[in-house]
């Protein structure tokens, strides 16, 4: 369903489990950034009522996820560390079309967002299947389901409003780019690392 070119090496889940406090902190900030991203899309595309409505719900859900991760951090006696730079997202951002018209920019931002959600979903699935911590395994399973819904939301809006753009072609280009990009990741204790 996610159409990713390359799956994460399962050894990444071991790296994550061995560094769970770091993963939780990174994950918390990923959720905050996802909420901010949804709000940014709304800000630039407020003329689309259905997009605004759905992305407001998505932003609230991402903030709820941020809160849920923070609660786990506190419950385990950890501290929410400082925000982390997400090199994967920054590299993925370079693929986005910076020129073109407003509609092309919106479609690219929606596809960029869908890709991040797809990779997060894939990583959460891996964590849910491979880590021994039952509470976190279930937590990541539940979040995997949610991220799949977010992926679908972004792809659906890209296709709906990108009628004059070959959205499927652009998506395939992004999938190919991400497939090469992700080869450099999966070796560190971050959600996308």
């Amino acid at each position: 369903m996610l159409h990713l070119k390359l799956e994460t090496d399962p050894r990444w889940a071991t790296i994550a489990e061995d560094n769970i406090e770091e993963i939780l902190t990174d994950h918390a900030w990923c959720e905050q950034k996802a909420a901010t991203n949804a709000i940014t899309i709304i800000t630039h595309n407020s003329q689309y009522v259905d997009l605004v409505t759905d992305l407001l719900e998505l932003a609230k859900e991402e903030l709820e996820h941020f809160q849920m991760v923070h609660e786990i951090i506190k419950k385990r006696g950890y501290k929410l560390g400082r925000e982390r730079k997400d090199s994967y997202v920054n590299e993925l951002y370079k693929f986005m079309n910076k020129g073109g018209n407003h509609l092309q920019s919106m479609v690219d931002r929606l596809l960029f967002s869908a890709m991040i959600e797809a990779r997060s979903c894939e990583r959460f699935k891996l964590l849910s299947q491979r880590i021994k911590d039952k509470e976190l395994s279930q937590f990541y399973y539940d979040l995997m389901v949610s991220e799949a819904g977010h992926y679908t939301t972004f792809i659906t809006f890209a296709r709906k409003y990108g009628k004059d753009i070959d959205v499927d072609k652009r998506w395939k280009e992004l999938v190919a780019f991400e497939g090469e990009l992700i080869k450099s990741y999966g070796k560190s204790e971050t959600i996308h690392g």
Side-chain angles (χ1 to χ4, degrees), residues 29-143:
W29 290 115
C30 286
E31 299 291 355
Q32 177 272 323
K33 290 172 194 165
T36 300
N37 179 59
I39 292 167
T40 299
I41 294 171
I42 291 167
T43 302
H44 294 289
N45 302 286
S46 58
Q47 68 273 34
Y48 302 108
V49 175
D50 57 345
L51 181 138
V52 171
T53 300
D54 288 1
L55 291 192
L56 279 170
E57 287 303 313
L58 190 148
K60 285 194 289 189
E61 194 170 306
E62 297 288 19
L63 280 176
E64 287 170 6
H65 294 168
F66 184 23
Q67 183 177 19
M68 291 164 67
V69 178
H70 187 237
E71 290 302 319
I72 291 171
I73 288 170
K74 291 190 309 185
K75 178 179 160 187
R76 291 172 179 239
Y78 303 149
K79 298 261 188 283
L80 177 63
R82 297 182 61 81
E83 180 183 0
R84 307 305 201 254
K85 179 181 167 189
D86 194 326
S87 299
Y88 165 82
V89 170
N90 291 336
E91 288 293 317
L92 197 61
Y93 183 79
K94 291 177 184 176
F95 182 79
M96 283 179 50
N97 186 350
K98 308 301 185 295
N101 62 37
H102 180 82
L103 185 60
Q104 289 169 322
S105 294
M106 179 180 84
V107 166
D108 256 34
R109 185 65 177 243
L110 291 167
L111 294 178
F112 162 80
S113 303
M115 179 55 70
I116 295 167
E117 297 290 345
R119 182 56 67 187
S120 297
C121 180
E122 188 257 355
R123 291 282 172 101
F124 292 165
K125 178 181 180 184
L126 189 58
L127 287 174
S128 75
Q129 293 172 337
R130 301 204 45 114
I131 62 175
K132 297 172 190 80
D133 185 309
K134 297 294 183 208
E135 177 191 23
L136 289 179
S137 176
Q138 183 61 51
F139 177 67
Y140 280 112
Y141 176 83
D142 294 342
L143 288 186

Side-chain angles (χ1 to χ4, degrees), residues 3-6 92 95 115 169-183:
H3 309 290
L4 296 172
K5 205 114 179 114
L6 184 67
L92 197 61
F95 182 79
M115 179 55 70
K169 178 177 180 255
R170 187 67 178 147
W171 177 248
K172 286 177 185 168
E173 292 169 352
L174 179 57
V175 167
F177 178 82
E178 197 272 352
E180 287 302 310
L181 174 64
I182 202 66
K183 288 178 182 177

Side-chain angles (χ1 to χ4, degrees), residues 139-156:
F139 177 67
Y140 280 112
Y141 176 83
D142 294 342
L143 288 186
M144 172 196 68
V145 173
S146 177
E147 300 298 303
H150 297 171
Y151 157 82
T152 302
T153 296
F154 287 122
I155 286 280
T156 300

